[in-house]
Amino acid sequence: MAKFVRVIDTERCMGCRSCLSACYMENHLTPDSPWNVMMEWETGSYPNVGRSFVTMNCMHCEHPPCKLACDAIGVKAISKNEFGVVLIDYDKCIGCQYCQAVCPYGVPQYNAKLKNLYPGQDKTPPELIAAEARHPTHRKKVKTVEKCTFCWHKLEKAVAKGETNLIGKVPEYTPSCDLVCPVGARVFGDIEDPTSKVAQWVGTGKATQLKKEFGTRPQVFYKLTGGDY
Amino acid sequence: MISHHPGEEEQSAMSLTRRTFLKGTGTLAGAACVGVPLPVLAEAAASASAKAAGDKGVKYVNTTCVHCVNFCGQRIKMEDGVIRVVYPNPDIAEYYNHGICPKGGAGPFNTYNPYRIKAPLKRTNPKKGPHEDPGWKEISWEEAFTEIADKLKKIKADNPSKLVWHHGHGKYLMGDQFPKAWCAAFGTPNVVHRTTTCEAARHVADELTWGYHAFLPDVEHSNLLINFGANYFEAEQWARWLDHAVTDARARGMKVVSVEPRLSNAGAKADQWVPIRPGTDVVMLLAMARVLMHDGLIDEEFLTNYTNAPHLVAKDGAVLTDDKGEPLVWDAVSNSAKPFTEGVTPTLAGSFTVNGKPAATAYQVLHDSLTDVTPEYAEKVTGVPAETIQSLAREFGKQAMIGSTVVIDGRKIRYRPAVIHSFRGLAAKEYGVQNWRAALIVMMLVGAPDAVGGLGLHDVYKNPDNFKPSKCEYPPKRADLQKSVYFPHSHHNVCQQVALTLLDPKAYGLPYEPEMQIFYATNRAFSTADALKQFAGYAKTYNVVIDLVLTETAGMADIVLPDLSYLECWHFAPTRWTPNSKHTAIRQPLVNAYNIPYDTWAVMWELAKRVGFQKEYVEGMNKEWKNKKVMFDPTKDYTAKEAVAVLWEDATEKPLDYAIEHGFKGKHVDTDHRYLEGVEKQFKGPGKPKMKLYADQLVGSYETIAKTVKEKKIKNLDLAYYKTALSPIPIKEHAEPTARKGVKDYPIYLMTYKRMYRNQAGNTALNPILNALGDTDENFVLINPVLAKQIGVGDGEEVRIETRAGKAQGKARITEGIRPDVVAVSYSYGHISPGFPDYAKKGIWINQALELHPDVISGMNSFNDTKCTVVKA
């Protein structure tokens, strides 16, 4: 069975935020509830200065604390499927925000309001696409929590067609954030496929996971530039 | 898979059925009643009824972005006729961009924007100024065309030069060939593009040195890249190739040194940051040249055979020539001065007596001029430690591997894997030409031009006139004073000068007073230095602005016309080449979001018809586009799509359907074209013209300027200043811009830069996706903690910047990544237009505070020379 992971090479990342823009377009951004964010910081002091660019969507943890909490209170709105993708069912979500409280990465986004993209203006044609015409993960519901889905609406099509071997290898089966990167800093695919880029980058690229001390076992790996003083 | 609009097959108005025609919206039906050309309406009507006509389901359309001048190939997903997501076109990756930037990705909201201009507007408030509310009232297309055509007719009958056409983004939408043909047919020379707000000085430095412009560092093979302030990870031309090419080269082991006052994103991914005082780079480069010369790290063979380094220069600075005008060298064989022909061995260095008068080789002149420009001197001027300058120069000389060759595809080619790159870091300065010339000189010293791993030059010596002195025209014919005595080598227009000429045309000897201006897709007034003067100048004329949104420049219009966006138009798209490829591309319409019946193509067509120069316009198109086989027919009516078909078919010998399906056609370039058709072919050896280490044509230009000033009694040109500015080699005075003189009370250097989330045209400020990327909806004053502490300001607190030109105020962002004597503010923020909502006006408009002292060689706006005070607000 395939396990889908992402590897982000922060040495290559140039901090353009195209992966953020792609996610917001692909996934019908709910303003103020982004599924992908950029963290930038500096190290050192003048003139010995470094700058780091690190993006973060959802870790799709092997042991997701969000699911743990949601199951524990009996709501069971969060699932983790056979490929490791962690998804929220907006119809089951009660908006308690426990998942937001327990995620070490700050991933779940609670949408107190569903605002239009242009404040004070009518919805634009993309916003007017009816719920029935959207994938369930794009049928945003107020006072629920939403987050990165590994673009499950794209991967699901590969599964349906029996083409999971092409996930991360062809544009239509690649999460859009990984697809648009101008400098090839992000790869996605099946870590159990030895020919995949993710297997190579994780195995020989000195990749690591963030906040390992929480025991979440993320399915997103990072090649970090190192240095944090 | 392509998006197909049934109506577009109907090229001829006659085959448009009455039923389809009347199906359009009220606007279209109304426009149709008053004689708007039917082919235009056919396209618009078809688009408007696209949903009904069968755009159900998912479709992918290949087209070309134009948020910036990279022109990335894109594949755009449509769902039921709605633009949904923008992806890179995977097929373009081997020819140009591998991905796309956030502007391209957010492109659908450049089109789906409720603040777009949807109908022609007329001004009711006669007062024009940056803070005036124009009092727009909507008028019909017929009213707009009638009024504009009437004005044009009057001007054409009086003196057509009184019309000035401006474009910025517009050039990259439809191509400047159409406005040039249109204006030539109308009879005005005044077509003005924005290059002097971009990188004109860099182009002119190239042209003076090797006879054309544009280049790319051969990073695939370089081992050391010294970047003087180019920001290929946030901005700049060619960024979508440089980004992955540099990233791959770094992974391979290429070292990058970033010389810039602020640690940019490009600097963040470099191996070494050299924080230099703004505007002093020329001295660092000259000091590096001195180190190379004194250490013998020079490519004698290259200098002698490809450049004018051996040419003999007289004491007055002119190059000695024989009676046929051929430059003289000192022949080591005959020990005499001769032209460099077969059998002659030019001497590189030395002083000689020629016809009883002293002369020295250009190399010697350069060498001697650098006597005092030691690394220690450079440290005082630039703030860069002498040791750093020295070791960087030596490393550059060593990495250049002078004398070595490499075999590629069976060709033995010079190998110099050390290169210098720059964009606005050197160019956007008062002495921009001299700055980049200094970098070219350093590269000539080691033989890097057109070497493997060095600097790949584009179309070398395509324009031999660049090697000649300027005619220094006076009186000027053009309102921007292009190539006049004022800006002798301003080959790329002088966009900011028009407004200044308008304020006092007689002062510049302009024999007429412009009365009307048309602005196509440019926010010119907002985007230059000393910006308030631009508004003052534009208030003097009758203005028509064609744009997507009500920018500050639109606020100066008498009539505003809506434009269609790049996702709604047919364009023959400009493209970017790379060292090993080129491609031809189009843009095709995906929607017509607000049912606007005219794009700029159709507007120009209609006006040419009404004013009576349509035939000449079409004839001019063939001239400007240089079509070879498929020509424009002056007896025919053209829609934009038909025009694109002509250009596409002529360029590719393929039908338009190919472009509609694929978006582009690319080809790879062979090794000969990549390395052997430039300096190797044009400059190498006896009897050939020579690359100019020493820009002797500037000596000739200055002589003509001095003569003209005297004869025509020109009062507003400072000859001493021009003598310094037009020096044939860069000198240390070029690190002392006018904005730094007599400014004791302004201790801090003010520099500007560009962020990824905005472009000059202005509409990006409204894009909700671009504004949602994290602190991207506003800009800040970047300030070092030492300076911040001195003035008592914390992160996020308001600071006020004051210069001799103006003021600006905004939030401080404390960063270690900037020199303590410098503050930096990005541009394209701080909009003030009443046509923008408040959320699109956040941040600081820095342009009004920038002093303007143009580079007089090229006409380039200076953006990074100003000094300021910074206080807690």
Side-chain angles (χ1 to χ4, degrees), chain A residues 12-13 17-18 26 42 51, chain B residues 87 100 248 269 773-774 815:
Chain A
R12 290 182 76 91
C13 177
R17 307 188 191 187
S18 192
E26 184 72 53
E42 291 178 354
R51 285 176 66 191
Chain B
Y87 307 113
I100 53 172
D248 287 346
K269 312 309 290 195
L773 303 177
T815 170

Side-chain angles (χ1 to χ4, degrees), chain B residues 329-540:
Chain B
V329 301
W330 191 262
D331 176 23
V333 174
S334 65
N335 252 308
S336 63
K338 285 187 163 175
F340 180 18
T341 54
E342 207 61 55
V344 168
T345 304
T347 309
L348 182 59
S351 305
F352 308 95
T353 307
V354 181
N355 295 333
K357 296 207 180 86
T361 66
Y363 181 88
Q364 192 66 47
V365 170
L366 175 67
H367 176 279
D368 295 346
S369 78
L370 299 177
T371 307
D372 299 333
V373 190
T374 60
E376 292 71 22
Y377 169 81
E379 176 173 341
K380 288 200 203 77
V381 173
T382 65
V384 177
E387 170 55 37
T388 304
I389 298 174
Q390 183 126 318
S391 61
L392 191 55
R394 288 188 171 138
E395 193 179 353
F396 189 75
K398 181 167 160 240
Q399 290 290 350
M401 298 184 63
I402 293 165
S404 61
T405 58
V406 70
V407 175
I408 298 178
D409 284 344
R411 307 276 189 274
K412 190 161 145 186
I413 309 172
R414 293 181 306 110
Y415 179 61
R416 305 283 182 277
V419 66
I420 299 173
H421 184 63
S422 186
F423 197 62
R424 291 168 58 82
L426 291 180
K429 304 285 208 303
E430 181 173 359
Y431 294 112
V433 170
Q434 300 288 2
N435 285 347
W436 179 240
R437 284 250 319 132
L440 287 171
I441 284 169
V442 170
M443 284 189 276
M444 280 185 265
L445 289 176
V446 303
D450 274 349
V452 175
L455 194 72
L457 310 180
H458 181 63
D459 281 355
V460 173
Y461 204 52
K462 185 172 177 184
N463 189 358
D465 279 351
N466 288 328
F467 276 14
K468 302 190 183 122
S470 165
K471 293 196 170 67
C472 307
E473 182 181 76
Y474 190 87
K477 285 199 195 67
R478 291 173 50 114
D480 70 346
L481 313 183
Q482 174 175 274
K483 296 193 204 167
S484 71
V485 66
Y486 295 102
F487 302 112
H489 293 275
S490 53
H491 309 148
H492 301 274
N493 316 153
V494 190
C495 71
Q496 78 281 2
Q497 180 59 37
V498 177
L500 305 178
T501 305
L502 287 169
L503 289 172
D504 193 355
K506 290 197 170 60
Y508 298 99
L510 192 70
Y512 56 90
E513 254 183 74
E515 287 174 8
M516 180 171 174
Q517 303 193 83
I518 300 177
F519 295 85
Y520 168 42
T522 172
N523 198 4
R524 178 88 76 234
F526 191 76
S527 309
T528 56
D530 202 8
L532 291 172
K533 287 214 183 73
Q534 299 292 306
F535 288 93
Y538 296 160
K540 301 243 170 218

Side-chain angles (χ1 to χ4, degrees), chain B residues 521-850:
Chain B
T522 172
N523 198 4
R524 178 88 76 234
F526 191 76
S527 309
T528 56
D530 202 8
L532 291 172
K533 287 214 183 73
Q534 299 292 306
F535 288 93
Y538 296 160
K540 301 243 170 218
T541 51
Y542 176 89
N543 301 320
V544 175
V545 172
I546 309 172
D547 212 328
L548 293 175
V549 294
L550 289 170
T551 63
E552 289 75 13
T553 300
M556 299 296 288
D558 291 90
I559 289 186
V560 166
L561 298 178
D563 198 7
L564 291 184
S565 81
Y566 71 100
L567 297 177
E568 298 172 323
C569 278
W570 288 99
H571 292 149
F572 185 67
T575 59
R576 296 295 180 196
W577 42 267
T578 74
N580 68 351
S581 73
K582 45 186 164 180
H583 63 283
T584 309
I586 64 157
R587 289 188 201 105
Q588 53 184 312
L590 281 69
V591 295
N592 184 334
Y594 300 99
N595 297 318
I596 295 165
Y598 287 89
D599 57 10
T600 307
W601 167 271
V603 166
M604 290 165 70
W605 192 260
E606 179 63 18
L607 290 173
K609 226 173 179 168
R610 289 187 184 220
V611 180
F613 59 92
Q614 185 196 323
K615 183 164 165 288
E616 292 80 3
Y617 175 32
V618 179
E619 285 164 354
M621 287 178 200
N622 289 320
K623 179 165 172 276
E624 291 293 340
W625 283 102
K626 303 188 174 68
N627 311 22
K628 295 188 190 63
K629 295 199 187 108
V630 186
M631 313 300 285
F632 289 104
D633 177 354
T635 66
K636 209 174 146 7
D637 260 337
Y638 283 91
T639 62
K641 182 180 180 185
E642 288 163 336
V644 169
V646 168
L647 295 170
W648 170 266
E649 284 160 18
D650 189 66
T652 63
E653 294 176 359
K654 287 219 174 302
L656 188 66
D657 283 342
Y658 182 100
I660 290 170
E661 187 180 339
H662 297 282
F664 79 99
K665 185 170 176 292
K667 68 178 188 196
H668 290 286
V669 142
D670 64 24
T671 299
D672 278 0
H673 181 94
R674 184 170 174 174
Y675 293 112
L676 299 176
E677 277 163 22
V679 306
E680 300 299 327
K681 190 167 169 196
Q682 302 293 344
F683 298 140
K684 182 179 182 184
K688 288 277 175 70
K690 296 292 170 220
M691 207 169 163
K692 291 196 185 288
L693 181 95
Y694 183 90
D696 56 281
Q697 71 271 63
L698 292 179
V699 176
S701 296
Y702 175 74
E703 271 169 29
T704 305
I705 292 170
K707 189 159 161 275
T708 307
V709 164
K710 200 164 158 210
E711 279 174 9
K712 308 285 183 180
K713 299 192 185 9
I714 295 172
K715 300 274 184 291
N716 58 354
L717 195 151
D718 176 350
L719 280 175
Y721 174 82
Y722 271 69
K723 187 132 211 276
T724 304
L726 267 72
S727 170
I729 45 172
I731 50 180
K732 52 193 203 294
E733 283 78 357
H734 297 142
E736 296 163 20
T738 305
R740 307 267 168 95
K741 301 212 163 121
V743 282
K744 263 182 16 285
D745 299 333
Y746 297 89
I748 305 299
Y749 297 88
L750 172 60
M751 63 166 282
T752 61
Y753 66 102
K754 190 181 167 296
R755 292 180 83 192
M756 172 63 89
Y757 319 106
R758 289 286 184 268
N759 71 13
Q760 219 193 64
N763 48 66
T764 44
L766 296 138
N767 191 311
I769 301 294
L770 291 177
N771 284 331
L773 303 177
D775 275 354
T776 52
D777 59 347
E778 64 180 324
N779 65 345
F780 307 90
V781 179
L782 301 187
I783 181 168
N784 182 289
V786 166
L787 179 58
K789 188 163 178 211
Q790 263 173 38
I791 64 173
V793 102
D795 195 58
E797 293 180 349
E798 293 276 312
V799 290
R800 191 169 57 250
I801 292 170
E802 222 171 290
T803 73
R804 291 188 303 190
K807 296 186 184 52
Q809 179 165 325
K811 288 187 193 146
R813 170 139 297 168
I814 312 251
T815 170
E816 299 281 356
I818 193 166
R819 290 180 54 93
D821 56 357
V822 177
V823 293
V825 180
S826 69
Y827 28 68
S828 307
Y829 280 88
H831 281 280
I832 57 170
S833 169
F836 279 21
D838 285 344
Y839 76 79
K841 295 187 192 178
K842 288 182 173 175
I844 307 155
W845 180 35
I846 196 60
N847 302 58
Q848 58 180 318
L850 301 175

Side-chain angles (χ1 to χ4, degrees), chain B residues 13 53 85 92 103 198 212 236 256 260 357 365 392 422 462 608 768 796 804 812:
Chain B
V85 193
I92 202 110
K103 294 187 295 296
C198 192
Y212 203 61
E236 90 136 285
V256 180
E260 53 184 356
K357 296 207 180 86
V365 170
L392 191 55
S422 186
K462 185 172 177 184
R804 291 188 303 190

